[in-house]
Amino acid sequence: MSENELIERAQQGDIAAYTTLIQKHHRTVEKFAFQCGVKVNDIPDVTQEVFVNLYRFLHQFKRERFTTWLYKITLNATRDYYRKETKEIEKEKKLNHHNMNSFTKSAEDRILLFEEDKELHQAIQSLDIKYQHPIILFYFHDLSYEQIADILNVPITTVKTRLLRAKGQLKNLLSTNGGAKHGR
């Protein structure tokens, strides 16, 4: 069944079709949320929020590219997640921090398999947020300038400029950090 058929069936209330959409895009949502700076132990919550929002607003989806729409939902969910956190949740996290350390480390290791991945992720996270999202969407999710502009609600020229500046900043960060770390 094509993605468009799945979407149409899900829009008509077919739970199996909606479940298939979730299964098909679950990893992409998790990966993008992590790359946008969501803490590893918060990824399941953000991912769940994305798919709840997807379900709530699926009837509004119009024949645009589904993955572009899903990236928009994910980006909004990652932004909203930390805005909604309360001080009470922070206190609870501090109490559970000790218990979560082993889970956090193993989950992070599953996402970032190599030391170079970790260095690149840290470098991307150190960029201003306006540079993080275009880099992630372009290089890790293979989206076009047009799609990125649509997701971020900025002109294509802005996307190109931000990508160019981000690449320059990453090059400097990685050559400085990599050179010091590896004796280059």
Side-chain angles (χ1 to χ4, degrees):
M1 184 180 316
S2 75
E3 185 162 85
N4 285 337
E5 290 171 328
L6 279 173
I7 293 166
E8 286 175 19
R9 289 180 65 179
Q11 286 175 324
Q12 296 168 2
D14 184 334
I15 299 300
Y18 178 71
T19 302
T20 302
L21 280 174
I22 290 174
Q23 292 168 343
K24 184 175 182 179
H25 296 284
H26 191 269
R27 176 73 178 126
T28 300
V29 168
E30 285 183 327
K31 183 177 176 182
F32 184 52
F34 178 75
Q35 291 169 325
C36 288
V38 174
K39 298 174 197 150
V40 173
N41 53 336
D42 293 336
I43 289 174
D45 293 335
V46 172
T47 302
Q48 179 179 348
E49 185 68 25
V50 168
F51 287 112
V52 166
N53 286 337
L54 177 66
Y55 184 78
R56 288 179 50 215
F57 299 109
L58 191 58
H59 68 281
Q60 295 177 359
F61 176 73
K62 309 279 187 240
R63 293 278 178 202
E64 61 187 70
R65 189 162 179 222
F66 181 74
T67 52
T68 301
W69 193 59
L70 189 60
Y71 280 119
K72 283 183 183 181
I73 293 171
T74 305
L75 186 58
N76 288 332
T78 61
R79 290 175 178 161
D80 292 345
Y81 184 77
Y82 290 111
R83 283 188 208 142
K84 292 178 183 177
E85 273 189 338
T86 63
K87 291 181 182 178
E88 192 64 38
I89 292 172
E90 282 298 318
K91 289 178 186 176
E92 187 176 319
K93 282 184 181 180
K94 287 178 184 177
L95 291 174
N96 291 330
H97 180 71
H98 180 70
N99 297 336
M100 295 301 286
N101 275 343
S102 60
F103 170 77
T104 303
K105 184 66 176 158
S106 63
E108 184 176 353
D109 286 344
R110 285 195 308 264
I111 294 170
L112 302 173
L113 299 176
F114 302 103
E115 186 64 31
E116 293 80 19
D117 292 340
K118 291 177 185 176
E119 289 176 30
L120 179 59
H121 178 73
Q122 290 169 347
I124 290 171
Q125 292 302 301
S126 72
L127 296 175
D128 188 289
I129 198 150
K130 69 182 180 184
Y131 299 126
Q132 287 178 18
H133 295 145
I135 283 285
I136 292 165
L137 292 168
F138 187 78
Y139 288 104
F140 297 97
H141 296 273
D142 299 318
L143 298 184
S144 68
Y145 293 144
E146 293 82 9
Q147 291 168 317
I148 296 168
D150 187 32
I151 291 167
L152 300 177
N153 293 319
V154 297
I156 292 174
T157 54
T158 302
V159 171
K160 291 178 181 180
T161 301
R162 288 179 181 176
L163 278 170
L164 184 65
R165 289 179 182 163
K167 287 191 292 186
Q169 290 178 21
L170 282 175
K171 182 179 177 183
N172 288 338
L173 284 168
L174 292 172
S175 64
T176 302
N177 293 342
K181 188 171 190 170
H182 300 293
R184 290 184 199 140

